[in-house]
């Protein structure tokens, strides 16, 4: 698995609400101003064709219409009008929750639309020569187009020739340009981005209207969001409860007539609306949209809500070693001299031989020699008379000839052969040191010199993959969440084990091929586990498609992005851990608010049932534990509370319940204690307070 090094800093620590492309859409925090801006959308959603998608709220809408007709029949009935008004507010508030959640993506969508310009494409002829200028909307899959500095890329595709610097701020919000080149894992380009330098030839891979930006616009607006399996299952449960309560209320009237306490249709409708789970029915869609929005805030585009949910249930996490667990470039860790050589002498020779080495490994040798041994950092310009020996795949060495001295640094076999060619002797110490480093999972490089004392090995330079800070703690956190971590690497098993032990992962797959990754994912899935992984190359595409959560890097190929069900615009592989946490937060939020909603209904029994029948059955007055002022006040207080609690919970639905890594049983106990008990207590307090206010009004107390 090859992971391209990110070309810009990750943005997941950006302030809440700051969206890619510079749009501000409210973030994960609740902004009261969104209520006003989203109110027109909430009213438009009163269309029965829209409301019928939520059975619970559709029943509330029908109840609102029924009470409106009944109130119109008796214009002097203030109680009927009050119930009618609050039922309509309940319906609007439910739509408002969804409208606010959807509105949070509008600023992002508007920013993306600005990037969708009607660009002109320079299409090449079938023979690869000659240019034809056509509108970008006429491009088809397989067309070859040319883009130079200043051109806007007309459509999604892969670079097939050349290398260029590209401004992708339109989709990532990051102003730093990125490099796109042919033949690697950074070949994918996105329509609407701008070429800043050089010239590239692009093969178009998508049709107009189906580009990456088009899909982003649909997804962030919620237009393409479909209900997930868990949402569908919960909707079925809520619909079933609604039917049960509907039957209960319908059959209640005959008993009331028999008891001589016939109830009005307005009272029965109020009872039905208060008993069905309106709270979670109103917030369910908003919770799902907000979960996807939290990913967008972290520059992750989820292609479906199903992927976000699956992330919350992931039990196996496949992580690439390079760029995810380690920094991706080997760094010098220590200098180990052979007997007869001092560390300072070895460090000086290693630094000297690395001055012309512009690789990350070479620069790390210079820095280590300077920081640990106090050697002044020298520059090539100071050694104008030196002859620099560049590294080649044939020699596997680099170095410098200066002041009558020849210094070489490279692979053990190559350096040993170089010393022997010059009549030098190789002691056992150098080989032992090299073997010890290799067994520890590092890479040994020998440093040798030829001077007046002859050719000899000075010591061994230890290069190692540096594990990122905090990775062990993050893996411990995942373990507490019940998630198994597997490191994937192309390294040999010895090196892989050393890195796995240092990082603290549960398992590793060494010398991994695309077939090995697929086999591992299928093996885990066969055991009933959900698997998540990251990837950016074409060779990762099969595994990304097979994984339940496949996170493709935006710097990767089109094949990888098409195969995955999420795209990380920052190309930060470690973000997979955050994605899992967001998925769990979505599931916990839905479960917590469902618990709260169902527990809510218990208090409403104690408010409405005694008010309906206490006159006929005085014994029921003992159930009026809230000591509500009057039957009308009790029923109206319950209806008002039922509407207001939806608005009160909108911020929690959008922000999400805070997730803490813990076991499932502890999480269940916590949610039952907090949201179950809270759902029981809150209505008693809220309904009583509303009743006290209503009792001050004439004709109610």
């Amino acid at each position: 698995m090859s992971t391209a090094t990110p070309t810009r800093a990750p943005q997941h620590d950006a302030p809440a609400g700051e969206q890619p492309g510079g749009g501000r859409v409210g973030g994960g925090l609740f902004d009261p101003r969104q209520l006003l801006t989203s109110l027109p959308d909430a009213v438009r959603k009163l269309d029965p064709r829209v409301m019928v998608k939520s059975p619970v709220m559709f029943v509330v809408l029908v109840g609102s219409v029924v009470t409106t007709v009944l109130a119109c029949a008796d214009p002097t009935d203030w109680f009927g009008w009050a119930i009618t008004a609050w039922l309509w507010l309940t319906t609007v508030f439910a739509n408002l929750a969804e409208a606010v959640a959807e509105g949070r993506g509008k600023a992002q969508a508007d920013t993306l639309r600005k990037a969708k310009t009607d660009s002109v494409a320079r299409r090449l002829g079938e023979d690869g020569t000659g240019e034809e200028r056509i509108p970008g909307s006429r491009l088809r899959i397989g067309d070859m187009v040319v883009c130079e500095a200043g051109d806007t890329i007309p459509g999604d595709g892969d670079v097939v020739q050349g290398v260029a610097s590209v401004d992708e701020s339109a989709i990532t919000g990051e102003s730093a340009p990125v490099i796109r080149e042919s033949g690697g894992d950074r070949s994918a380009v996105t329509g609407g981005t701008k070429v800043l330098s050089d010239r590239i030839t692009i093969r178009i891979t998508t049709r107009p209207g189906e580009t990456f930006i088009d899909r982003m616009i649909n997804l962030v607006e919620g237009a393409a969001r479909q209900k997930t399996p868990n949402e569908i299952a919960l909707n079925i449960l809520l619909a079933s409860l609604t039917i049960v309560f509907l039957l209960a209320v319908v059959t209640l009237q005959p008993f009331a007539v028999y008891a001589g306490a016939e109830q009005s249709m307005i009272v029965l409708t109020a009872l039905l609306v208060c008993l069905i789970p309106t709270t979670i029915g109103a917030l369910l869609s908003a919770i799902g949209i907000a979960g996807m929005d939290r990913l967008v805030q972290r520059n992750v585009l989820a292609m479906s809500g199903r992927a976000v949910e699956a992330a919350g249930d992931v039990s196996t996490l496949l992580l690439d070693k390079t760029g995810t667990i380690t920094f991706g470039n080997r760094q010098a860790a220590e200098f180990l001299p052979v007997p007869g050589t001092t560390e300072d002498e070895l460090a000086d020779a290693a630094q000297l031989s690395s001055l012309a080495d512009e690789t990350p490994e070479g620069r790390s040798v210079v820095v280590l020699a300077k920081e640990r041994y106090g050697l002044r950092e020298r520059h090539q310009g100071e050694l104008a008379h030196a002859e620099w020996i560049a590294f080649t795949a044939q020699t596997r060495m680099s170095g410098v000839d200066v002041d009558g001295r020849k210094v070489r640094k490279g692979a053990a076999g190559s350096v040993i052969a170089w010393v022997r060619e010059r009549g030098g002797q190789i002691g056992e110490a150098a080989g032992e040191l090299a073997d010890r480093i290799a067994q520890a999972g590092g890479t040994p490089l020998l440093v040798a010199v030829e001077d007046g004392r002859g050719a000899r090995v000075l010591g061994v330079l230890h290069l190692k993959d540096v594990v990122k800070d905090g990775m062990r703690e993050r893996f411990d956190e995942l373990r507490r969440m019940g998630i198994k971590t597997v490191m994937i690497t192309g390294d040999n098993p010895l090196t892989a084990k050393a890195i796995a032990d240092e990082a603290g992962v549960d398992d590793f797959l060494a010398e991994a091929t695309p077939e090995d990754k697929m086999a591992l994912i299928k093996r885990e899935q066969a055991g009933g586990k959900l698997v998540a992984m990251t990837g950016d190359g074409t060779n990762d595409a099969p595994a990304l498609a097979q994984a339940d959560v496949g996170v493709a890097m935006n710097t990767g190929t089109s094949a990888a992005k098409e195969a995955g069900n999420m795209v990380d615009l920052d190309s930060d592989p470690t973000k997979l851990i955050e994605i899992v946490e967001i998925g769990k937060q979505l599931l916990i939020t839905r479960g917590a608010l469902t618990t709260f909603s169902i527990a809510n209904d218990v208090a409403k029994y104690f408010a409405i049932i005694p008010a309906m029948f206490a006159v006929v059955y005085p014994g029921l007055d003992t159930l009026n534990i809230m000591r509500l002022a009057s039957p009308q006040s009790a029923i109206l207080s319950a209806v008002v509370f039922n509407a207001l609690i939806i608005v009160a919970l909108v911020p929690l639905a959008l922000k999400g319940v805070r997730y803490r890594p813990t076991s499932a049983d502890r999480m269940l106990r916590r949610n039952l204690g907090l949201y179950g008990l809270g759902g029981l207590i809150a209505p008693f307090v809220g309904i009583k307070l509303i009743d006290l206010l209503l009792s001050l009004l004439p004709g109610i107390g």
Side-chain angles (χ1 to χ4, degrees), residues 379-397:
H379 303 280
Q380 288 182 256
E382 301 176 28
L383 304 171
H385 57 289
E387 180 182 350
W388 301 98
I389 310 300
F391 176 87
T392 66
Q394 290 74 30
T395 63
R396 300 175 65 199
M397 287 190 307

Side-chain angles (χ1 to χ4, degrees), residues 662-672:
T662 184
S663 61
D665 58 335
R666 287 188 61 184
M667 194 180 305
L668 178 61
R669 287 197 301 270
R670 174 177 173 271
N671 281 349
L672 287 176

Side-chain angles (χ1 to χ4, degrees), residues 625-658:
I625 58 178
M626 289 180 276
R627 314 316 300 171
L628 302 177
S630 68
Q632 288 181 324
S633 175
I635 295 171
L636 185 56
S637 297
V639 172
V640 172
F641 175 83
N642 195 57
L644 294 180
I645 194 64
I646 295 173
V647 180
L649 291 176
V650 168
L652 184 61
L654 299 184
K655 186 178 180 181
V657 175
R658 184 180 177 186

